[in-house]
Amino acid sequence: ANARLWALAALLCTPLGQGSRLLGKLAEKKFCADVDCSHPISIAVAVQDYIAPDCRFIHIQRGQVIYVFSKLKGRGRLFWGGSVQGDYYGAHPARLGFFPSSVVQESQYLKPGKVEVKT
């Protein structure tokens, strides 16, 4: 289910004013806990705010809990993929997207992210 959400987000993500052209990939491969990237690798806490530059990324506020589902490899290795809950499991749906690994600090490791997957 998580993989389908990522695919849908990628299809819907188009730059403003550019018609239906898709944005480029951040990396060719990523590390996940499983082949579907459906199990979180870790839980992290945001140490600073981050404003998403486009729809591939998520806005993060300092102190928010982030579930890390993937870590990009190669040229995109500075970015991780994950979800931020609304008001801590409140009525708001989870938001999925990428964020710089430098804005979070992993607080709990759940499952090793050793499965290499194409993006």
Side-chain angles (χ1 to χ4, degrees):
N2 193 16
R4 282 185 243 137
L5 286 174
W6 282 97
L8 179 61
L11 287 174
L12 296 175
C13 187
T14 57
L16 296 175
Q18 296 292 320
S20 62
R21 191 188 78 180
L22 295 177
L23 296 172
K25 284 186 180 183
L26 295 174
E28 295 298 319
K29 295 186 179 184
K30 60 186 173 183
F31 289 111
C32 299
D34 56 64
V35 294
D36 296 323
C37 298
S38 62
H39 192 284
I41 296 169
S42 63
I43 297 173
V45 176
V47 295
Q48 68 184 66
D49 292 346
Y50 173 71
I51 304 299
D54 63 46
C55 60
R56 296 174 296 175
F57 299 88
I58 54 175
H59 295 298
I60 293 176
Q61 293 178 338
R62 184 177 182 190
Q64 280 186 310
V65 174
I66 295 99
Y67 288 86
V68 179
F69 286 90
S70 64
K71 295 180 178 182
L72 298 183
K73 183 180 175 186
R75 65 182 179 174
R77 71 185 174 280
L78 301 178
F79 293 97
W80 293 352
S83 75
V84 174
Q85 292 289 333
D87 293 325
Y88 195 73
Y89 299 109
H92 303 287
R95 293 172 293 157
L96 295 169
F98 294 103
F99 54 90
S101 58
S102 61
V103 302
V104 301
Q105 181 175 6
E106 287 178 295
S107 60
Q108 184 177 358
Y109 297 94
L110 302 173
K111 195 168 182 182
K114 295 184 178 180
V115 178
E116 191 174 292
V117 179
K118 287 186 177 183
T119 58

